Amino acid sequence: MIFLRKFMLFTVLLVVLAISVSGCSVFMAAKQPEKKDISLLKEGVSRAVLISEFGAPVISEYKNDKRFEIFKFVQGYSTGAKAGRAFFHGAASVATLGLWELVGTPAEITFNGDEMAFQVSYDENDLVDEVKLITKE
């Protein structure tokens, strides 16, 4: 009887420890950047729409009476992909009693989205007339 109680207590403590340890990669997966709608980067879209999706441009200047802007952002993941990754990390961490965190946390640090930059030029009505991909890392 005493052995059974000790075993149950040990099991409960082990499960609590595994659950408490399984958090870093789960949290990191859930907090990855959101996926941006890069289909908006096309001719005819208004400047206001681009700013609402990508935020303020990092550079905004006029050349030859034409506005040019550079938008820089991290292309993240859809909500479903982030939730799936978080669930997988949580399940793997519990199943391995927290050992998965040794793999899952570095994986989430590595796969944290792609940094992208686009140069956009506008016509006289602040509608996109040209888009160039500058970087995709």
Side-chain angles (χ1 to χ4, degrees):
M1 187 73 160
I2 294 175
F3 174 76
L4 184 59
R5 283 187 181 164
K6 285 184 179 182
F7 179 75
M8 295 280 287
L9 179 63
F10 176 75
T11 304
V12 168
L13 289 175
L14 201 57
V15 169
V16 168
L17 176 66
I19 290 171
S20 67
V21 169
S22 72
C24 201
S25 64
V26 174
F27 179 77
M28 291 172 75
K31 293 297 180 184
Q32 290 290 343
E34 293 291 324
K35 186 171 186 168
K36 304 286 187 183
D37 185 3
I38 60 173
S39 70
L40 295 173
L41 291 162
K42 63 183 177 186
E43 201 172 316
V45 175
S46 75
R47 178 174 181 262
V49 169
L50 293 186
I51 290 173
S52 71
E53 179 66 18
F54 304 110
V58 293
I59 295 175
S60 183
E61 61 187 11
Y62 283 92
K63 294 180 193 171
N64 302 327
D65 294 328
K66 195 172 189 178
R67 184 195 305 254
F68 288 86
E69 294 183 326
I70 295 178
F71 290 93
K72 189 174 180 181
F73 58 91
V74 175
Q75 179 63 301
Y77 303 96
S78 68
T79 303
K82 293 185 337 180
R85 286 166 60 170
F87 177 79
F88 173 78
H89 286 302
S93 188
V94 169
T96 62
L97 301 176
L99 290 176
W100 175 254
E101 293 300 320
L102 298 173
V103 175
T105 299
E108 284 303 316
I109 291 170
T110 303
F111 300 111
N112 60 354
D114 295 321
E115 194 168 290
M116 303 181 87
F118 290 89
Q119 177 181 303
V120 179
S121 63
Y122 302 93
D123 63 15
E124 62 278 351
N125 298 316
D126 271 348
L127 298 176
V128 175
D129 68 359
E130 186 178 12
V131 177
K132 292 180 184 175
L133 175 65
I134 298 174
T135 60
K136 180 180 178 183
E137 298 176 8

